[in-house]
Amino acid sequence: TTFEADVGQTSQLLQLLDAEDIEVAICDIREIPSDAGYDITRLPPKDGACYCRVDHPILTAGMLTAPMIHEYGIASVRIPQELHDELRRVFMPGNSIDPLLHLQCDNVTLLIDTVRQSDLILLTSRQSAQAALASRLLVEVPYPVSGGSNWCIVALRNKVLRPAARELVETIKAECA
């Protein structure tokens, strides 16, 4: 059995799904249009957190604050608008000009490598940063926002998945349980 994986923004993945170029997509449920003709299987929520390199000057300051965001910047994968708005409310109240995210990239590995070599602060799921934390490449930075990703598996409604796609879905559900 072979699989092909595409990493991209939810809108791009849904276009591929609608065109039947892919059979399933893993997306944040907050970005799925309501009643869009999809079968949606919710996965357990994943907490998000902030990380930085092990010798980052922010580590002596305690909790992440708005001035630190301005000084160091945040790197992240594309985040749902709901989470973006909450982070902006906490870290940039009254500021609608400056960007919240200084670097956006769908490749978490590239983000981790960039944060390891810079003063940027990484915003990602705990699961995505697990290996970098275990290797002591990154450390967690406390920040005053709770929540994270609300992943789901999306497939076209009334479309029978091929055995390999069904196997993939079952594996993802088991790994996330």
Side-chain angles (χ1 to χ4, degrees):
T1 304
T2 62
F3 299 100
E4 181 179 325
D6 290 316
V7 176
Q9 295 180 9
T10 297
S11 59
Q12 295 167 328
L13 295 174
L14 293 178
Q15 287 175 354
L16 292 171
L17 190 63
D18 290 339
E20 298 187 20
D21 290 336
I22 60 174
E23 290 189 69
V24 296
I26 312 299
C27 306
D28 192 301
I29 198 161
R30 294 171 287 197
E31 296 187 308
I32 307 296
S34 59
D35 196 34
Y38 301 119
D39 281 330
I40 297 173
T41 304
R42 287 179 176 264
L43 298 171
K46 299 292 181 194
D47 286 336
C50 286
Y51 304 93
C52 66
R53 61 183 166 82
V54 295
D55 58 346
H56 197 293
I58 200 170
L59 294 173
T60 60
M63 184 75 68
L64 189 59
T65 64
M68 293 174 192
I69 297 298
H70 289 286
E71 184 174 351
Y72 300 116
I74 293 180
S76 178
V77 295
R78 185 176 175 279
I79 58 176
Q81 191 63 46
E82 178 182 314
L83 180 56
H84 185 276
D85 293 347
E86 172 67 7
L87 292 169
R88 180 171 283 287
R89 185 188 64 72
V90 170
F91 291 121
M92 306 177 94
N95 180 342
S96 60
I97 297 171
D98 293 329
L100 173 65
L101 302 178
H102 292 75
L103 174 62
Q104 276 190 88
C105 175
D106 290 323
N107 185 325
V108 177
T109 303
L110 179 62
L111 287 171
I112 289 171
D113 286 345
T114 302
V115 168
R116 282 183 40 222
Q117 300 172 45
S118 71
D119 281 343
L120 285 168
I121 298 160
L122 175 64
L123 173 65
T124 191
S125 69
R126 292 183 191 282
Q127 188 175 24
S128 295
Q130 192 173 23
L133 283 173
S135 301
R136 298 279 305 144
L137 300 174
L138 297 178
V139 294
E140 187 170 340
V141 178
Y143 79 119
V145 179
S146 62
S149 58
N150 294 309
W151 296 108
C152 64
I153 301 170
V154 184
L156 291 175
R157 189 175 292 144
N158 302 320
K159 172 103 168 124
V160 177
L161 298 178
R162 291 181 295 164
R166 284 196 310 268
E167 182 181 325
L168 175 64
V169 167
E170 291 308 314
T171 300
I172 292 168
K173 288 170 26 180
E175 288 293 320
C176 291

